[in-house]
Amino acid sequence: MDNVSLITMFVLSGFNETENYQAYIFALTLLCYCFIVLVNVSLIVTVILDKNLHEPMYILLCTFCMNGLYGTTGFYPKFLWDLLSPVQVISYSGCLIQALVMYSFACSDLSILAVMAYDRYVAICRPLQYNSIMSKQRVFLLVCFSWLTPSCIIGTNIILTSRLKLCSPHITRLFCVNWIIVKLACFPADTLVNNIVAYITIIIYVFHGLFIVWSYMYLVKTCVHSKENRAKFMQTCVPHLISLITFLVAILFDVSNMRIGSKDWPQPLQNFIAIEFLIIPPIINPLIYGFKLTKIRNRIIGIITFKMKLLLS
């Protein structure tokens, strides 16, 4: 057992099935990452530059897109590098940092969605009190909560993982996942605290999801009897619901694959399920909000029209 403390590198064995297609995967991944950066940065810049968009809903949307960039930056550059490398390895500390980034990103996404649901609840159900409840100070605190709380919770999970003695350097994924690292522990009894904290983390974010469901049930009940509220709901809440459903489906597939997934599943399928939450939500979210929210759509169309006139003049 003397070797267990000498593991300084992990081998990402999820790449084993990609050897014959790495050039194609690299090109598609680079295109996907560039598109994610383009659409998210475009929406962020649009909100920042237009003072008419400095409202709680758009500030939260801006935060949502920033979080998407944070999470994808934790995966795509390393993934692209690995596709060009003869061996796919990552340092022990780098692996823990990547696991922290991946899952603090996912938990922050759910926290931001919960805050956005609260914002829509106040806007539609308590419109006269909206400006006092969703003040700049409160929005700032809610944004800090959405980022700092997940980082602390996931950070606790990572710190607990760092104390484990590991017996294998092989991670059967394309990137580092805390639960997979925990399963490499030499002594299963040592992982009891990790399991308890992991399930507490899951319960916390299940309550986030239940809060969102409750908010929307209340919103639907309120909007049914008012044509004006129905219009507000369709305009601002439908994009949020699509984002929520997309995110939850991607995360549920990933968690199911980690916890109860079959080893008989093909590795490419397992790889896709693992990275689905890093592909679909970061692309879909800014597109949905950009097309559906009138103020943002008009602002983007105005910028494009202005640029076209400059090019043609």
Side-chain angles (χ1 to χ4, degrees):
M1 302 299 293
D2 293 336
N3 292 332
V4 296
S5 62
L6 299 179
I7 293 177
T8 58
M9 302 289 287
F10 288 105
V11 179
L12 301 172
S13 56
F15 284 88
N16 291 347
E17 300 292 327
T18 66
E19 292 177 359
N20 298 326
Y21 311 100
Q22 286 186 351
Y24 301 106
I25 296 172
F26 178 86
L28 287 172
T29 303
L30 182 61
L31 184 65
C32 179
Y33 183 49
C34 289
F35 187 71
I36 286 171
V37 172
L38 175 65
V39 293
N40 281 277
V41 169
S42 297
L43 199 146
I44 291 167
V45 170
T46 299
V47 172
I48 290 173
L49 293 181
D50 191 340
K51 291 184 179 180
N52 294 322
L53 298 177
H54 292 183
E55 300 173 10
M57 182 175 70
Y58 300 107
I59 292 169
L60 292 172
L61 175 56
C62 192
T63 304
F64 200 38
C65 291
M66 287 178 180
N67 192 58
L69 290 175
Y70 161 72
T72 52
T73 301
F75 169 71
Y76 282 95
K78 177 68 172 71
F79 181 65
L80 289 166
W81 177 265
D82 284 334
L83 288 171
L84 297 177
S85 302
V87 290
Q88 290 78 37
V89 296
I90 187 170
S91 68
Y92 179 83
S93 58
C95 191
L96 293 182
I97 291 170
Q98 188 179 52
L100 172 65
V101 171
M102 292 294 94
Y103 287 94
S104 62
F105 150 69
C107 292
S108 290
D109 250 14
L110 195 53
S111 293
I112 295 167
L113 285 167
V115 173
M116 291 171 82
Y118 176 70
D119 173 73
R120 291 300 85 206
Y121 159 75
V122 176
I124 293 174
C125 299
R126 302 170 69 182
L128 298 178
Q129 298 170 285
Y130 181 76
N131 289 330
S132 59
I133 293 174
M134 296 301 291
S135 63
K136 288 183 179 179
Q137 293 80 4
R138 181 159 294 175
V139 172
F140 175 76
L141 289 174
L142 289 171
V143 168
C144 289
F145 161 80
S146 301
W147 273 338
L148 296 179
T149 304
S151 296
C152 292
I153 292 172
I154 301 301
T156 302
N157 282 268
I158 299 298
I159 290 168
L160 290 172
T161 299
S162 67
R163 68 188 175 83
L164 299 175
K165 291 184 177 181
L166 308 178
C167 280
S168 172
H170 294 279
I171 294 176
T172 56
R173 284 295 184 96
L174 300 172
F175 60 92
C176 293
V177 179
N178 186 54
W179 180 248
I180 303 296
I181 300 171
V182 169
K183 291 202 290 187
L184 300 177
C186 298
F187 309 107
D190 291 346
T191 66
L192 177 62
V193 177
N194 295 73
N195 289 328
I196 292 171
V197 173
Y199 282 113
I200 290 172
T201 301
I202 290 171
I203 290 169
I204 288 170
Y205 287 98
V206 165
F207 275 111
H208 277 59
L210 292 174
F211 171 76
I212 295 170
V213 171
W214 173 83
S215 297
Y216 274 95
M217 286 177 65
Y218 200 90
L219 280 171
V220 169
K221 182 181 175 182
T222 303
C223 294
V224 165
H225 306 293
S226 168
K227 187 175 181 180
E228 183 183 351
N229 284 340
R230 282 202 301 272
K232 273 188 183 180
F233 183 88
M234 293 301 295
Q235 180 67 31
T236 62
C237 297
V238 169
H240 183 212
L241 279 173
I242 295 172
S243 295
L244 176 65
I245 292 167
T246 303
F247 174 77
L248 288 180
V249 168
I251 288 296
L252 285 173
F253 269 115
D254 186 42
V255 171
S256 301
N257 183 37
M258 273 196 296
R259 299 278 169 166
I260 58 174
S262 172
K263 292 183 179 179
D264 297 329
W265 290 359
Q267 187 64 47
L269 176 60
Q270 293 188 47
N271 288 343
F272 177 75
I273 291 172
I275 65 172
E276 187 182 1
F277 76 104
L278 293 160
I279 299 173
I280 298 173
I283 291 176
I284 292 294
N285 292 338
L287 291 179
I288 289 172
Y289 284 102
F291 284 116
K292 186 65 179 172
L293 296 180
T294 306
K295 283 187 178 181
I296 291 180
R297 184 174 68 247
N298 291 343
R299 178 61 177 164
I300 291 173
I301 291 171
I303 292 171
I304 293 171
T305 304
F306 178 73
K307 293 291 184 183
M308 290 296 292
K309 286 181 179 177
L310 285 178
L311 288 172
L312 295 172
S313 61

